[in-house]
């Protein structure tokens, strides 16, 4: 059913949803965002993988960018699990700020959509874009990371929000990343 330009589909079983959601997402020629609401993060992870895979079968040249937007968890749970979820949320928000090159599908629970998010303008100013071949002062980069963006300088870079300085090299573990660089 269509409501105000939105295609609303409900009551679809999980097994049939992959094909239906992928087809709807890939048909969008303007690469606007499609949103699929799911009952749990686990189903969201599975659906994101299956939709992205199925899309390559429908149209290998385009595919879709399936983004699983995790719930922000309460503070009374395991710290590493909460940090992992927050990193995934920030990663999805970072991807949504870039211009899409293929159809995008945001998969989330209602709780994830209504969870806390940073203010966009502040989020944009708290990112550093490092490009291959670009030059940036070593001291300026370290100062910006540690003083302005609140990164911790450690001997080894193991967790999001940390940097490790080894001579003239800097390992950075961005808050929105799954691994250090």
């Amino acid at each position: 059913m269509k409501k105000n330009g939105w295609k609303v589909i409900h009551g679809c079983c999980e097994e049939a949803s992959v094909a239906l959601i992928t087809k709807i997402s890939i048909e969008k020629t303007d690469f606007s965002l499609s949103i699929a609401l799911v009952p749990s993060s686990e189903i969201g992870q599975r659906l994101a993988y299956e939709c992205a895979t199925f899309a390559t079968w429908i149209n290998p040249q385009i595919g879709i960018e399936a983004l699983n937007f995790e719930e922000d968890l309460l503070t009374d749970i395991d710290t590493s699990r909460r940090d992992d979820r927050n990193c995934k949320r920030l990663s999805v928000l970072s991807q949504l700020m870039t211009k899409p090159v293929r159809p995008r599908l945001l998969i989330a629970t209602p709780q994830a959509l209504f969870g806390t998010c940073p203010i966009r303008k502040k989020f944009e100013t708290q990112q550093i874009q490092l490009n291959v071949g670009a030059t940036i002062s070593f001291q300026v980069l370290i100062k910006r990371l540690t003083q302005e963006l609140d990164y911790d300088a450690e001997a080894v870079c193991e967790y999001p929000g940390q940097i490790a300085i080894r001579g003239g090299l800097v390992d950075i573990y961005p808050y929105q990343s799954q691994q250090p660089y």
Side-chain angles (χ1 to χ4, degrees), residues 112-150:
L113 288 179
F114 292 112
T116 58
C117 286
I119 297 169
R120 183 178 174 134
K121 287 287 183 200
K122 186 174 182 182
F123 188 65
E124 288 172 343
T125 62
Q126 291 184 330
Q127 295 198 8
I128 300 174
Q129 184 73 33
L130 300 175
N131 298 314
V132 175
T135 306
I136 185 168
S137 163
F138 189 79
Q139 288 78 21
V140 169
L141 177 63
I142 301 304
K143 181 179 178 184
R144 177 119 197 261
L145 288 168
T146 57
Q147 294 178 10
E148 295 174 29
L149 301 179
D150 203 28

Side-chain angles (χ1 to χ4, degrees), residues 38-162:
V38 292
S40 72
S41 290
E42 293 74 27
I43 291 173
Q45 289 172 344
R46 204 167 46 247
L47 187 64
Y49 173 78
E50 290 175 2
C51 286
T53 303
F54 189 65
T56 61
W57 284 92
I58 295 173
N59 189 339
Q61 288 77 31
I62 296 179
I64 64 168
E65 185 178 3
L67 306 170
N68 184 33
F69 194 52
E70 302 265 347
E71 298 163 352
D72 75 350
L73 297 174
L74 302 174
T75 55
D76 61 345
I77 65 151
D78 176 36
T79 306
S80 67
R81 188 170 157 222
R82 185 183 66 243
D83 290 345
D84 184 50
R85 287 271 176 104
N86 286 336
C87 289
K88 289 178 182 177
R89 285 176 64 83
L90 292 172
S91 178
V92 169
L93 292 173
S94 293
Q95 288 173 283
L96 289 173
M97 288 183 355
T98 63
K99 185 177 184 204
V101 294
R102 64 180 62 85
R104 283 187 172 158
L105 171 61
L106 181 71
I107 301 168
T109 64
Q111 180 184 357
L113 288 179
F114 292 112
T116 58
C117 286
I119 297 169
R120 183 178 174 134
K121 287 287 183 200
K122 186 174 182 182
F123 188 65
E124 288 172 343
T125 62
Q126 291 184 330
Q127 295 198 8
I128 300 174
Q129 184 73 33
L130 300 175
N131 298 314
V132 175
T135 306
I136 185 168
S137 163
F138 189 79
Q139 288 78 21
V140 169
L141 177 63
I142 301 304
K143 181 179 178 184
R144 177 119 197 261
L145 288 168
T146 57
Q147 294 178 10
E148 295 174 29
L149 301 179
D150 203 28
Y151 277 72
D152 294 323
E154 302 289 339
V156 178
C157 190
E158 298 177 301
Y159 300 103
Q162 293 181 340

